[in-house]
Amino acid sequence: MNNGQKPSVLVISAHAVDFVWRCGGTIARYAKDGSRVRILDLTFGERGESAEIWQSRPGITVDEVKRIRREEAEKASQILGAEIRFLDFNDHPLVMGMEHYLILVEELRDFQPQIVLTHHTEDPLNPDHPEVSAATYRALRCAQVPGVKPETTVTGPIKTFMFEPDQPEFCNFNPDVFIDITDVMDLKVQAMKVVASQTYLHENYTRRAEYRGYLAGRIAGDKNIKYAEAFKRFAPFVGKFFS
Amino acid sequence: MNNGQKPSVLVISAHAVDFVWRCGGTIARYAKDGSRVRILDLTFGERGESAEIWQSRPGITVDEVKRIRREEAEKASQILGAEIRFLDFNDHPLVMGMEHYLILVEELRDFQPQIVLTHHTEDPLNPDHPEVSAATYRALRCAQVPGVKPETTVTGPIKTFMFEPDQPEFCNFNPDVFIDITDVMDLKVQAMKVVASQTYLHENYTRRAEYRGYLAGRIAGDKNIKYAEAFKRFAPFVGKFFS
Amino acid sequence: MNNGQKPSVLVISAHAVDFVWRCGGTIARYAKDGSRVRILDLTFGERGESAEIWQSRPGITVDEVKRIRREEAEKASQILGAEIRFLDFNDHPLVMGMEHYLILVEELRDFQPQIVLTHHTEDPLNPDHPEVSAATYRALRCAQVPGVKPETTVTGPIKTFMFEPDQPEFCNFNPDVFIDITDVMDLKVQAMKVVASQTYLHENYTRRAEYRGYLAGRIAGDKNIKYAEAFKRFAPFVGKFFS
Amino acid sequence: MNNGQKPSVLVISAHAVDFVWRCGGTIARYAKDGSRVRILDLTFGERGESAEIWQSRPGITVDEVKRIRREEAEKASQILGAEIRFLDFNDHPLVMGMEHYLILVEELRDFQPQIVLTHHTEDPLNPDHPEVSAATYRALRCAQVPGVKPETTVTGPIKTFMFEPDQPEFCNFNPDVFIDITDVMDLKVQAMKVVASQTYLHENYTRRAEYRGYLAGRIAGDKNIKYAEAFKRFAPFVGKFFS
Amino acid sequence: MNNGQKPSVLVISAHAVDFVWRCGGTIARYAKDGSRVRILDLTFGERGESAEIWQSRPGITVDEVKRIRREEAEKASQILGAEIRFLDFNDHPLVMGMEHYLILVEELRDFQPQIVLTHHTEDPLNPDHPEVSAATYRALRCAQVPGVKPETTVTGPIKTFMFEPDQPEFCNFNPDVFIDITDVMDLKVQAMKVVASQTYLHENYTRRAEYRGYLAGRIAGDKNIKYAEAFKRFAPFVGKFFS
Amino acid sequence: MNNGQKPSVLVISAHAVDFVWRCGGTIARYAKDGSRVRILDLTFGERGESAEIWQSRPGITVDEVKRIRREEAEKASQILGAEIRFLDFNDHPLVMGMEHYLILVEELRDFQPQIVLTHHTEDPLNPDHPEVSAATYRALRCAQVPGVKPETTVTGPIKTFMFEPDQPEFCNFNPDVFIDITDVMDLKVQAMKVVASQTYLHENYTRRAEYRGYLAGRIAGDKNIKYAEAFKRFAPFVGKFFS
């Protein structure tokens, strides 16, 4: 891939800090390895994923919530070694249409990723997530055809992976990829800790990484895997040898 | 559930009298038991589920059809022991967006149900139904987070069930819950009879209830079950013992 | 079906020449047999399926692309023996709503097909396709109820089939119908050849027809089947004998 | 099929009278139409489907039960117009192996059916049924290759259909074929009535046929369909036109 | 269920201590509540689940391994409050047939459970598990018909649940039941600790219970749930109210 | 994998030359790259996959057929660069049990593969294939636990892939791996040509490789891929980066 260059990675995340819980370790893996990683935050999760802020500060405005969430997301992305951009669509419900798809096309064309990470296609408990997933697939298609925004450069081949939802089996999420994040778990933990507005998740997502690490280690027969993140491939693997 | 109080039940129904065929017996069971039951009728089914009216009264206006359907729905809900509210969105096709989702959030916040009944996620023969199902899941999520409409009270835990479509296997509807409606079947029959505009369904839905009763009775090993209604759980059961 | 008359066939196609690759042989079979066949082209595929034009003629306008694609589609449909109508919605992304659904209802009411062919419900690689599929199902439902556009005549029973996407297994397309197109394969090849803007597909879709012919011949135990097209039924078969 | 001759039909049934409930109407349809129909009864259902006999006649021997069941099955098959053969394997549990598969191969080679009807591949409530289904698929394969029992004639193309289990959705049975049995329902009822050992099923399977008739009539848009039986195709349909 | 009596629970476990990891908490819940709970251990897991013993004691005989495993299983079952019986079939591979099914029938008839817990139907990583699951379903069916072993008493209605495999998503295990084991987690931990031959699992199954507790707590909206076990229902729920 | 050494590959094939059609190119890829590749032929396909021999040489004995098939298989494996071993179980039907599983365990322990290729879990048209698949999974499990045949060395981590059946969609085979065999396609063609007893397949499997090459090339965005073979992973991918 990419003639010796490290692949660039674009993470398309529905709410401010989804990326931390779901693929923070994988972001850190790639960043540490020299890849350019950019997070595209579609919303600040200002309504639906900021419960602690709303509950602890009655009367707070949406703009203030956004500001807090933005800061957290920026700090977390810095820790992980990634750039971040905020599109500031509205969450809960996030309803996307033509204009949003075209913004995503521009973002894809601009960043020219080789790898895209995004939400799973199903999440009945949090419909903003599949909304982003579906929009991403529309945008990925449009970004690669020359007739859409013909003045910009189409994207090349992109490998897409969907990260794990909070309740994986409920969402029919059946992972076929585990990324071993053992050597960057400390960064994921640090990133989780700056995301003060959802403290109840810190411990649970450490545990989740251990759980996934256990499964991955058993499959690979590798006891050194202590922490992992789970993904689902979008397209089949193509290669000259099995991976 | 609900500290000794009877759970309140909200039925979210796409068309005027969907609720009668699909869960009329279950509504009657809960109402008879002391639960407060409210039906939310998103449309009067004025275009798509009023064929007999349109065919027998050429030249009738949409408003007249709505009036007839409203009366039928009101009578049927009274027989079953439920309140009813009409949102008067348009059916066939019913196309929902942000504004409709937020109305549903308000309705959920206002009624504070412990149980919600709605349509199945798939129905290729009647796409208004999955439109309502998808909207309900969006609204359920938004209703429980404090950042959406922060001036109203979030909902507590809600158990959601999807009722049976007309052609269940065609819709990949695989029921995992049967409610025994034997002792309220007379009320369901009465309610079906007031819904004059779809007479061809009366006999068939009595038969359907017998069919489901047969299946339920075989599963439970209980010959007293003569009539049943079929549902699909939304979320897993959680408890200290098996149910 | 249709009291001795040949069934009329409506093909609902997302982009200009989708119909050639996916069901050109079947169109020719029906046309040759005396059926009236009409293609409804929702877009010219002017942005997303005209890469060769955009790449070979830098600076070309969308209107010019549309004109080229229209001509190709008209020629191809003539070769196959079908009428064609262009609705000129926009592709890539094709986003349909109420107004588009109602146009489809009118088209269905006007043509009164006994058979409808359209896209498969899933195609993550080309989301315009399931957009059309979903819209078609909405329209099929609305076209058969008298309350929608009561001034026009409702459609009768329609059999619907979904044609094969480019990457069938990726789209969870599991065909249950193979149409033997051996005796009209020459027409399909001719039609493919006029569609100059997607030359890379000619050879591949001849090969695809051979592949499907091989599978169909093995299933039917009929070595005369050299070429076939694959479809997925929408609704179960109903008859007095097995088909 | 069969050059103008009526297709011969082989019904492979796990227990004595499974064929009556599951496809009695379809058997009668074909027999009435001039087809030769043969039922292959693998067991008498002497242990697992004769509860009424065991309960009403304590101390009865297995051989006596078999004799009763054989008589019922013979009478029922006569009413429906079919031949019947008993293989007398043991039921509950029915465990099949090499020798049983080869007996089925001989039966297929001997009868040379064009259509085979058998059980669905899944039935967790009655594992004898999928045991027969799996054995039938093994035998169908072996019967068509010349190297197995090379002294007998291989079978030609066979169309196979699986009939409906008692609890269809529980068994993931999703029917894609409905056979309209309205004009032979009287024969099915007669046949059910001679099967005295399972009286509780009579009424329920009349109701089932009405339920399936309702679904089939709605799909086909044909109000004359009052009774139907549901099936699942084994292999895709292959033809020159849609069925 | 059971007229006020506590339901008796039968756990059918492939290998010696499967029951500890998979449903030890649930066993303890029922035992503590006054239910009679019996574990049926089909093998000692002497070959396939005793790696630590084989590795640490080269030259050990199968009988010695069995003895060690039996002791562990007995101690663990005592801690949880359950009886235990060993059938001593052979594991790895465990291949069951007629004779084993009939032994299970006898065990079911003898114990007369109201609840059965067993393995999931799929486990490609450990095929002994689905072998037990399939055998259990055969036995459950045979145990309830009077013609099998007519000299013993048939079983009444039984509710069956499948416990979680080691790699749930890999096995297509999609839980629809979570049992809150918070108040008996100490007993599960104790039981795990006596099972010295598989030490690497202790920590992981504590973590698993926390993971499941997190999911269950989120679904139920109940922060008191700290530990849970996941199950899949065999048959639909039947009742007069939703569970 | 394997510390710089090339991975050894074991192909477990039901019938004599299944390996040629299904993974001949992939075998050649690995052999050419320096891997040791061994084919394990469970049967000679002497009954079920030798139709041309039986038809052209009436009166031939099974042993003669086996001899012919063995020679073909040996020649084909030589061309591809692989070793071959024949277990000479009987095909059509191939029914495997304890003894066969243990032979496979020995073969796995003896060869110590890092990669195993075998049949897909479903193939209703050719039940010998899933019989082998299921046996392979049993053997893979048993081969890795020290308590089975403790005198031999357990296998290390193995990656398993299932190759494509003749009718992929019919078998619910959904490939997630495509191996580019463009540069060894000449060897696959040569190997197919020595397999004289199934000439009708030569052309079709060249076409199949082109079809799969087309799909793989489109997914990877690589026009150099002309021929490919399709596989399904058994276990999730585990790695430090995406593949």
Side-chain angles (χ1 to χ4, degrees):
Chain A
M1 180 185 286
N2 212 5
N3 298 324
Q5 279 196 305
K6 300 299 183 180
S8 56
V9 181
L10 187 66
V11 180
I12 301 181
S13 165
H15 307 107
V17 293
D18 282 346
F19 68 90
V20 181
W21 321 108
R22 315 215 163 285
C23 60
T26 302
I27 290 171
R29 289 285 302 128
Y30 274 91
K32 198 175 160 184
D33 190 56
S35 277
R36 190 175 169 201
V37 185
R38 178 180 287 178
I39 295 146
L40 218 53
D41 249 10
L42 270 54
T43 77
F44 293 105
E46 65 273 11
R47 294 202 177 280
E49 308 218 336
S50 308
E52 294 183 15
I53 301 175
W54 288 98
Q55 281 161 344
S56 62
R57 296 178 52 181
I60 194 170
T61 67
V62 166
D63 282 348
E64 285 175 288
V65 178
K66 285 185 180 180
R67 193 187 46 71
I68 295 170
R69 299 296 278 166
R70 172 194 279 267
E71 277 175 27
E72 289 171 1
E74 283 172 341
K75 277 186 208 154
S77 60
Q78 272 180 342
I79 291 166
L80 299 172
E83 309 165 18
I84 189 161
R85 282 173 59 78
F86 301 99
L87 300 186
D88 196 7
F89 305 154
N90 294 312
D91 79 317
H92 279 73
L94 171 58
V95 180
M96 297 177 75
M98 181 73 83
E99 68 191 311
H100 307 88
Y101 305 148
L102 293 178
I103 291 170
L104 290 185
V105 171
E106 279 171 13
E107 294 285 341
L108 285 162
R109 292 252 175 107
D110 176 61
F111 189 67
Q112 293 286 339
Q114 276 86 43
I115 293 173
V116 163
L117 308 184
T118 192
H119 292 270
H120 187 233
T121 49
E122 292 182 53
D123 192 344
L125 288 169
N126 197 330
D128 284 7
H129 293 164
E131 184 84 6
V132 170
S133 182
T136 299
Y137 293 139
R138 287 191 189 248
L140 281 166
R141 168 74 189 182
C142 291
Q144 73 190 183
V145 295
V148 174
K149 297 188 177 280
E151 65 285 5
T152 59
T153 309
V154 299
T155 50
I158 294 175
K159 292 183 176 178
T160 305
F161 299 87
M162 294 174 271
F163 35 70
E164 175 175 9
D166 188 49
Q167 298 252 358
E169 289 128 335
F170 195 147
C171 302
N172 292 316
F173 176 82
N174 200 335
D176 50 15
V177 172
F178 289 99
I179 298 298
D180 172 9
I181 59 166
T182 308
D183 65 354
V184 291
M185 187 60 197
D186 56 329
L187 293 173
K188 177 162 185 170
V189 170
Q190 264 183 267
M192 292 197 291
K193 284 190 178 158
V194 304
V195 188
S197 59
Q198 297 183 326
T199 49
Y200 66 94
L201 290 169
H202 292 185
E203 196 187 343
N204 282 300
Y205 273 87
T206 300
R207 200 173 295 145
R208 181 77 58 104
E210 288 170 328
Y211 168 59
R212 291 305 187 189
Y214 166 76
L215 298 183
R218 297 269 288 177
I219 289 166
D222 181 347
K223 297 195 174 183
N224 295 320
I225 302 176
K226 300 297 180 204
Y227 302 97
E229 286 172 346
F231 297 87
K232 176 114 198 66
R233 297 187 70 90
F234 174 64
F237 168 83
V238 179
K240 288 186 185 296
F241 295 101
F242 295 109
S243 67
Chain B
M1 179 185 287
N2 212 7
N3 299 326
Q5 279 196 306
K6 300 298 183 181
S8 56
V9 181
L10 187 68
V11 180
I12 301 181
S13 165
H15 308 108
V17 294
D18 282 346
F19 69 89
V20 180
W21 320 108
R22 316 214 164 285
C23 58
T26 302
I27 289 171
R29 288 286 302 127
Y30 273 91
K32 198 175 160 183
D33 190 56
S35 277
R36 189 174 170 202
V37 185
R38 176 180 289 179
I39 296 146
L40 217 54
D41 248 11
L42 269 54
T43 79
F44 293 105
E46 64 274 11
R47 295 202 176 278
E49 308 219 335
S50 308
E52 294 182 15
I53 302 175
W54 289 97
Q55 283 161 342
S56 62
R57 297 179 52 180
I60 194 169
T61 65
V62 166
D63 281 349
E64 284 175 291
V65 179
K66 284 184 179 178
R67 194 189 43 73
I68 295 170
R69 298 296 278 166
R70 171 194 280 268
E71 278 176 24
E72 288 171 3
E74 283 171 342
K75 277 186 208 153
S77 60
Q78 272 179 343
I79 290 166
L80 299 173
E83 309 165 19
I84 190 161
R85 281 172 59 80
F86 301 99
L87 299 187
D88 197 7
F89 304 155
N90 294 313
D91 79 317
H92 280 73
L94 171 58
V95 181
M96 298 177 74
M98 181 73 83
E99 68 191 310
H100 307 89
Y101 306 147
L102 292 178
I103 291 170
L104 291 185
V105 171
E106 280 170 13
E107 294 286 342
L108 285 161
R109 292 254 175 103
D110 176 60
F111 188 66
Q112 293 285 340
Q114 276 88 42
I115 293 174
V116 163
L117 308 183
T118 192
H119 291 270
H120 186 231
T121 50
E122 293 182 52
D123 193 343
L125 290 168
N126 198 330
D128 285 7
H129 294 164
E131 185 83 9
V132 171
S133 182
T136 299
Y137 294 138
R138 286 192 189 247
L140 281 165
R141 168 73 189 183
C142 292
Q144 75 191 181
V145 294
V148 175
K149 296 186 178 281
E151 65 284 5
T152 59
T153 309
V154 298
T155 51
I158 294 176
K159 291 182 176 179
T160 305
F161 299 87
M162 295 174 271
F163 35 72
E164 176 174 8
D166 188 48
Q167 299 253 359
E169 288 128 335
F170 196 145
C171 302
N172 292 316
F173 175 81
N174 200 334
D176 51 13
V177 173
F178 290 98
I179 298 298
D180 172 9
I181 59 165
T182 308
D183 65 353
V184 291
M185 187 62 197
D186 56 329
L187 293 173
K188 178 163 186 171
V189 171
Q190 263 183 266
M192 293 197 289
K193 284 192 177 155
V194 303
V195 187
S197 59
Q198 296 184 328
T199 50
Y200 66 93
L201 290 168
H202 292 183
E203 197 186 342
N204 282 300
Y205 273 87
T206 299
R207 200 173 294 144
R208 181 76 58 101
E210 287 169 329
Y211 168 59
R212 291 305 187 190
Y214 166 75
L215 298 183
R218 296 269 287 178
I219 289 166
D222 180 348
K223 298 193 174 184
N224 295 321
I225 301 176
K226 299 298 181 203
Y227 302 98
E229 286 172 345
F231 297 86
K232 176 114 197 67
R233 299 186 69 91
F234 175 63
F237 168 83
V238 178
K240 288 186 184 293
F241 295 100
F242 296 109
S243 67
Chain C
M1 181 185 287
N2 211 7
N3 298 325
Q5 279 196 305
K6 300 298 183 181
S8 56
V9 180
L10 187 67
V11 180
I12 301 180
S13 165
H15 308 108
V17 294
D18 282 345
F19 68 90
V20 181
W21 320 108
R22 315 213 165 287
C23 60
T26 301
I27 290 171
R29 289 284 305 125
Y30 273 91
K32 199 176 161 184
D33 191 55
S35 277
R36 190 175 170 202
V37 184
R38 177 180 289 178
I39 296 146
L40 217 53
D41 249 10
L42 268 54
T43 78
F44 293 105
E46 64 273 10
R47 294 201 177 278
E49 308 219 333
S50 308
E52 295 183 14
I53 301 175
W54 288 98
Q55 281 160 345
S56 62
R57 297 179 52 179
I60 194 169
T61 65
V62 165
D63 282 348
E64 285 175 288
V65 178
K66 284 184 179 179
R67 193 188 43 72
I68 295 169
R69 298 295 280 165
R70 171 194 280 266
E71 278 176 25
E72 288 172 1
E74 282 171 344
K75 279 186 206 154
S77 61
Q78 272 179 343
I79 290 166
L80 299 173
E83 308 166 18
I84 190 161
R85 282 171 60 78
F86 301 98
L87 299 186
D88 196 9
F89 304 154
N90 294 312
D91 79 315
H92 280 74
L94 170 58
V95 181
M96 298 177 74
M98 181 72 84
E99 68 191 312
H100 307 90
Y101 306 147
L102 292 178
I103 291 170
L104 290 185
V105 171
E106 278 171 12
E107 294 286 340
L108 285 162
R109 292 254 174 105
D110 176 60
F111 188 67
Q112 292 285 339
Q114 276 87 43
I115 294 174
V116 163
L117 307 184
T118 192
H119 292 271
H120 186 233
T121 48
E122 292 181 52
D123 193 344
L125 289 169
N126 198 331
D128 285 6
H129 294 164
E131 184 83 7
V132 170
S133 182
T136 299
Y137 293 138
R138 287 191 188 247
L140 281 165
R141 168 73 190 184
C142 291
Q144 75 189 180
V145 295
V148 174
K149 296 186 178 282
E151 64 285 5
T152 59
T153 309
V154 297
T155 51
I158 294 175
K159 291 183 177 179
T160 304
F161 299 87
M162 294 174 270
F163 34 71
E164 176 176 7
D166 188 50
Q167 298 252 1
E169 288 128 335
F170 196 146
C171 303
N172 293 316
F173 175 81
N174 201 335
D176 50 14
V177 172
F178 289 99
I179 297 298
D180 172 10
I181 60 165
T182 308
D183 66 354
V184 293
M185 187 61 197
D186 56 331
L187 293 173
K188 177 162 186 172
V189 171
Q190 263 183 265
M192 291 196 290
K193 284 191 178 156
V194 304
V195 187
S197 59
Q198 296 184 328
T199 51
Y200 66 93
L201 289 169
H202 293 186
E203 197 187 342
N204 282 301
Y205 273 87
T206 300
R207 201 173 294 144
R208 180 76 59 102
E210 288 170 327
Y211 167 59
R212 291 304 186 191
Y214 167 76
L215 299 183
R218 296 270 288 177
I219 288 166
D222 180 347
K223 297 195 173 182
N224 295 319
I225 301 176
K226 300 297 182 205
Y227 302 98
E229 286 171 347
F231 296 88
K232 176 114 197 66
R233 300 186 69 91
F234 174 63
F237 168 84
V238 178
K240 288 187 184 294
F241 295 101
F242 295 109
S243 67
Chain D
M1 180 185 287
N2 211 7
N3 299 322
Q5 280 195 303
K6 299 298 185 180
S8 57
V9 181
L10 187 67
V11 180
I12 301 180
S13 165
H15 308 108
V17 293
D18 281 345
F19 69 90
V20 181
W21 319 108
R22 314 213 165 286
C23 59
T26 301
I27 289 172
R29 289 285 304 127
Y30 273 91
K32 198 175 161 184
D33 191 55
S35 277
R36 190 175 169 201
V37 184
R38 178 180 287 177
I39 295 146
L40 217 54
D41 248 12
L42 270 54
T43 78
F44 293 105
E46 64 273 10
R47 294 201 177 280
E49 308 218 336
S50 308
E52 295 183 14
I53 302 175
W54 289 98
Q55 282 160 345
S56 62
R57 296 179 52 179
I60 195 170
T61 67
V62 166
D63 282 349
E64 284 175 289
V65 178
K66 284 185 180 180
R67 193 188 44 71
I68 295 169
R69 297 296 278 165
R70 171 193 280 268
E71 277 176 25
E72 288 172 1
E74 283 172 341
K75 278 186 206 154
S77 61
Q78 273 180 342
I79 290 166
L80 299 172
E83 308 166 19
I84 189 161
R85 281 172 59 80
F86 302 98
L87 299 186
D88 197 7
F89 304 154
N90 294 312
D91 80 316
H92 278 75
L94 171 57
V95 180
M96 297 177 74
M98 181 72 83
E99 68 191 311
H100 307 89
Y101 305 148
L102 293 178
I103 291 170
L104 290 186
V105 172
E106 280 171 12
E107 294 286 341
L108 285 162
R109 291 253 175 106
D110 176 61
F111 188 67
Q112 292 286 340
Q114 276 86 42
I115 292 172
V116 163
L117 308 183
T118 193
H119 292 271
H120 187 233
T121 48
E122 292 182 52
D123 192 344
L125 288 169
N126 197 330
D128 284 8
H129 293 165
E131 184 84 7
V132 170
S133 182
T136 298
Y137 293 138
R138 287 190 187 248
L140 281 165
R141 168 74 189 183
C142 291
Q144 74 189 182
V145 294
V148 174
K149 296 189 178 279
E151 64 286 3
T152 59
T153 309
V154 298
T155 51
I158 294 175
K159 291 183 177 179
T160 304
F161 299 88
M162 293 174 271
F163 33 72
E164 174 176 10
D166 188 49
Q167 299 252 359
E169 289 128 335
F170 195 146
C171 302
N172 292 315
F173 176 81
N174 200 335
D176 50 14
V177 173
F178 289 99
I179 298 298
D180 171 10
I181 59 166
T182 308
D183 65 354
V184 292
M185 187 61 196
D186 56 330
L187 293 173
K188 178 162 185 170
V189 170
Q190 263 183 267
M192 291 197 291
K193 283 191 176 156
V194 305
V195 188
S197 59
Q198 297 184 326
T199 49
Y200 67 93
L201 290 169
H202 292 186
E203 197 187 343
N204 282 300
Y205 273 87
T206 299
R207 199 173 295 145
R208 181 77 59 104
E210 287 170 327
Y211 167 59
R212 291 305 186 188
Y214 167 75
L215 299 183
R218 297 268 288 176
I219 288 166
D222 181 347
K223 298 196 172 181
N224 295 319
I225 301 176
K226 300 296 181 207
Y227 302 97
E229 287 171 346
F231 297 87
K232 176 114 197 66
R233 299 186 70 90
F234 174 63
F237 168 83
V238 178
K240 288 186 185 295
F241 294 101
F242 295 110
S243 65
Chain E
M1 179 184 286
N2 211 8
N3 298 325
Q5 279 196 306
K6 300 299 182 180
S8 56
V9 181
L10 187 67
V11 180
I12 302 181
S13 165
H15 308 107
V17 293
D18 283 345
F19 68 89
V20 181
W21 320 108
R22 314 213 165 288
C23 58
T26 302
I27 289 170
R29 289 285 303 126
Y30 274 91
K32 199 175 159 184
D33 190 55
S35 277
R36 190 174 169 200
V37 184
R38 176 181 289 179
I39 296 146
L40 217 53
D41 248 12
L42 269 54
T43 78
F44 293 105
E46 64 273 11
R47 293 200 177 280
E49 308 218 335
S50 308
E52 295 183 15
I53 301 176
W54 288 97
Q55 283 161 342
S56 62
R57 297 178 52 179
I60 194 169
T61 65
V62 166
D63 282 349
E64 285 175 290
V65 179
K66 284 184 179 180
R67 194 188 44 72
I68 295 169
R69 298 296 277 166
R70 172 193 279 267
E71 279 176 25
E72 289 172 2
E74 282 172 342
K75 279 186 207 154
S77 60
Q78 273 179 343
I79 290 166
L80 300 172
E83 310 166 18
I84 190 161
R85 281 171 60 79
F86 302 98
L87 299 186
D88 196 8
F89 303 155
N90 294 311
D91 79 317
H92 280 72
L94 170 58
V95 180
M96 298 177 74
M98 181 72 83
E99 67 190 313
H100 307 89
Y101 306 147
L102 293 178
I103 291 169
L104 291 185
V105 171
E106 279 171 12
E107 294 286 341
L108 285 161
R109 292 253 175 105
D110 176 60
F111 188 66
Q112 293 285 341
Q114 276 88 42
I115 293 174
V116 163
L117 308 184
T118 192
H119 291 271
H120 186 233
T121 49
E122 292 182 53
D123 193 343
L125 289 168
N126 198 330
D128 285 6
H129 293 165
E131 184 83 7
V132 170
S133 181
T136 299
Y137 294 138
R138 287 192 188 247
L140 281 166
R141 168 73 188 184
C142 292
Q144 74 190 182
V145 294
V148 174
K149 296 188 179 281
E151 65 284 5
T152 60
T153 309
V154 298
T155 51
I158 294 175
K159 292 183 176 178
T160 305
F161 299 86
M162 294 175 271
F163 35 69
E164 175 175 10
D166 187 49
Q167 297 253 358
E169 289 128 335
F170 196 146
C171 302
N172 293 316
F173 175 81
N174 200 336
D176 51 14
V177 172
F178 289 99
I179 298 297
D180 171 9
I181 60 165
T182 308
D183 65 353
V184 292
M185 187 62 196
D186 57 329
L187 293 173
K188 178 164 186 171
V189 171
Q190 262 184 267
M192 292 197 290
K193 283 191 177 156
V194 304
V195 187
S197 59
Q198 296 184 327
T199 49
Y200 67 93
L201 290 169
H202 292 184
E203 197 187 342
N204 283 300
Y205 274 87
T206 299
R207 199 173 297 144
R208 180 77 58 103
E210 286 170 328
Y211 168 59
R212 292 304 187 189
Y214 167 74
L215 299 183
R218 295 270 286 176
I219 289 166
D222 180 348
K223 297 194 174 182
N224 295 320
I225 301 176
K226 300 297 181 205
Y227 302 98
E229 286 171 345
F231 298 86
K232 176 114 197 65
R233 299 186 69 92
F234 174 63
F237 168 83
V238 178
K240 287 185 185 294
F241 295 100
F242 295 110
S243 67
Chain F
M1 181 185 284
N2 211 7
N3 298 325
Q5 278 195 306
K6 300 298 184 180
S8 56
V9 180
L10 187 67
V11 180
I12 302 181
S13 165
H15 308 108
V17 294
D18 282 345
F19 68 90
V20 181
W21 319 109
R22 314 214 164 287
C23 59
T26 302
I27 289 171
R29 289 284 305 126
Y30 273 91
K32 200 177 160 182
D33 190 56
S35 276
R36 191 175 170 201
V37 184
R38 178 179 287 177
I39 295 145
L40 216 54
D41 249 12
L42 269 54
T43 78
F44 293 105
E46 64 273 10
R47 294 202 177 278
E49 309 220 333
S50 308
E52 295 183 14
I53 301 175
W54 288 98
Q55 281 160 345
S56 63
R57 297 178 55 179
I60 195 169
T61 65
V62 166
D63 282 349
E64 285 175 289
V65 178
K66 284 184 179 180
R67 193 189 44 74
I68 295 169
R69 299 294 278 164
R70 170 193 281 266
E71 278 175 25
E72 288 172 1
E74 282 172 343
K75 278 186 208 154
S77 60
Q78 272 179 344
I79 290 166
L80 299 172
E83 308 166 20
I84 190 161
R85 282 172 59 80
F86 301 99
L87 299 186
D88 196 8
F89 304 155
N90 294 311
D91 79 315
H92 280 74
L94 171 57
V95 180
M96 297 177 74
M98 181 72 84
E99 68 190 312
H100 307 89
Y101 306 147
L102 293 178
I103 291 170
L104 291 185
V105 171
E106 280 170 12
E107 294 286 340
L108 285 162
R109 292 252 175 107
D110 176 61
F111 189 66
Q112 292 286 341
Q114 276 86 44
I115 293 174
V116 163
L117 307 184
T118 193
H119 292 270
H120 186 232
T121 49
E122 291 182 52
D123 194 343
L125 289 168
N126 197 330
D128 284 8
H129 293 164
E131 184 83 9
V132 170
S133 182
T136 299
Y137 293 138
R138 287 191 188 248
L140 281 166
R141 167 74 190 184
C142 291
Q144 76 190 180
V145 295
V148 174
K149 296 186 179 284
E151 64 285 3
T152 60
T153 309
V154 298
T155 51
I158 294 175
K159 290 182 176 180
T160 304
F161 299 88
M162 294 175 270
F163 34 71
E164 176 176 8
D166 189 49
Q167 299 252 0
E169 288 129 336
F170 196 146
C171 303
N172 293 316
F173 175 81
N174 201 335
D176 51 15
V177 172
F178 289 99
I179 297 298
D180 172 9
I181 59 166
T182 308
D183 66 354
V184 292
M185 186 63 196
D186 56 330
L187 293 173
K188 176 160 187 174
V189 171
Q190 263 184 266
M192 292 197 290
K193 283 191 177 156
V194 304
V195 187
S197 58
Q198 296 185 327
T199 51
Y200 67 92
L201 289 170
H202 293 184
E203 198 187 341
N204 282 300
Y205 273 88
T206 299
R207 201 173 294 145
R208 180 76 60 101
E210 288 170 327
Y211 167 59
R212 290 306 186 188
Y214 167 75
L215 299 183
R218 296 269 287 177
I219 288 166
D222 181 347
K223 297 195 173 181
N224 295 319
I225 301 175
K226 300 298 180 204
Y227 302 98
E229 286 171 347
F231 297 87
K232 176 114 197 66
R233 298 186 70 91
F234 173 64
F237 168 83
V238 179
K240 287 188 185 293
F241 296 100
F242 295 110
S243 67

